[in-house]
Amino acid sequence: MEQTELERVIEAILFAAGEPVETERIALATQTDPDEIEQAAKALMDRLSFERRGLRIIRLENAYQMCSSSEMSAYITKALETRKPPKLSASQLETLTIIAYYQPATKAYVEQIRGVDSSYSVGALLNKHLIEECGRLNVPGRPIIYRTTPDFLRTFGLSSLDELPEIEKMQFGKRELSEEEARQDTAQAVNTFEEVTEK
């Protein structure tokens, strides 16, 4: 399949899906090598951006999704009478930061770093689809473990978790940060996330 045709197919699949579609899934549907899908998707992303179209394609780790251009958000909000999503509270941002950097993480682990009960924050982040359950720890009580979602990446404009700003994390068994240092590092990351949510 020629690249131009492949671009059209990718565009149609992503438009119809309305959610992230994995590269492997597109490759399987088109009977094409995943590397060719990557090249065609990149070319399509560049073209939409260069032409300043109302639609964009974004990469979310090993998947792609079609979305509206951020430049059009004001018009979309007016036309669809949608409200800007509520900002995350300070406690929700702290909880999200800890899960993003230490995932998969349990609620107890989040509470250990924050020093306060985090049930409400975890529940709120689940409702906003920024985190999700991803199993249970194989220890007594079998606590639920959480990780971030593709919605988290999209909200904060990240292609993958590798793009998170670096912080010095607690390393158990190596140099452990004091509680104060852990809180300072978490606060630094929270500030980064706050800047994004305020845009």
Side-chain angles (χ1 to χ4, degrees), residues 12-188:
I13 290 171
L14 297 181
F15 178 80
E19 60 184 15
V21 181
E22 293 181 356
T23 307
E24 291 288 337
R25 198 165 158 198
I26 300 172
L28 189 64
T30 57
Q31 298 181 338
T32 311
D33 188 74
D35 288 340
E36 290 182 58
I37 299 297
E38 300 272 352
Q39 290 173 6
K42 176 74 169 69
L44 183 57
M45 290 166 73
D46 290 344
R47 186 158 46 83
L48 291 173
S49 181
F50 178 76
E51 294 175 3
R52 299 188 68 195
R53 302 285 296 272
L55 296 174
R56 294 286 190 275
I57 292 174
I58 56 173
R59 183 176 180 146
L60 301 167
E61 293 191 321
N62 61 343
Y64 292 93
Q65 181 172 6
M66 182 172 281
C67 61
S68 57
S69 165
S70 59
E71 298 167 5
M72 303 293 120
S73 61
Y75 300 107
I76 293 167
T77 301
K78 286 178 186 174
L80 303 179
E81 296 180 358
T82 56
R83 281 191 256 158
K84 195 174 179 182
K87 291 183 180 176
L88 298 175
S89 68
S91 62
Q92 290 168 11
L93 273 171
E94 284 179 7
T95 301
L96 182 58
T97 301
I98 293 164
I99 292 172
Y101 280 96
Y102 294 95
Q103 62 185 303
T106 62
K107 183 170 73 71
Y109 188 78
V110 171
E111 290 170 347
Q112 180 183 345
I113 293 177
R114 291 192 65 223
V116 294
D117 180 73
S118 300
S119 301
Y120 176 78
S121 295
V122 168
L125 294 171
L126 284 167
N127 288 336
K128 292 175 182 174
H129 306 291
L130 294 174
I131 63 170
E132 64 186 0
E133 296 181 9
C134 63
R136 291 181 177 269
L137 273 187
N138 195 15
V139 296
R142 309 251 313 140
I144 298 169
I145 50 179
Y146 301 95
R147 66 181 175 203
T148 54
T149 64
D151 281 356
F152 165 79
L153 294 175
R154 188 168 47 254
T155 300
F156 291 98
L158 304 170
S159 296
S160 74
L161 294 171
D162 295 334
E163 294 181 7
L164 284 171
E166 284 191 27
I167 63 168
E168 189 173 356
K169 297 195 281 187
M170 285 190 288
Q171 298 291 325
F172 294 102
K174 299 179 185 173
R175 175 186 179 262
E176 288 193 16
L177 299 179
S178 68
E179 283 187 20
E180 181 57 31
E181 288 174 311
R183 285 196 182 98
Q184 286 174 358
D185 280 349
T186 300
Q188 173 193 349

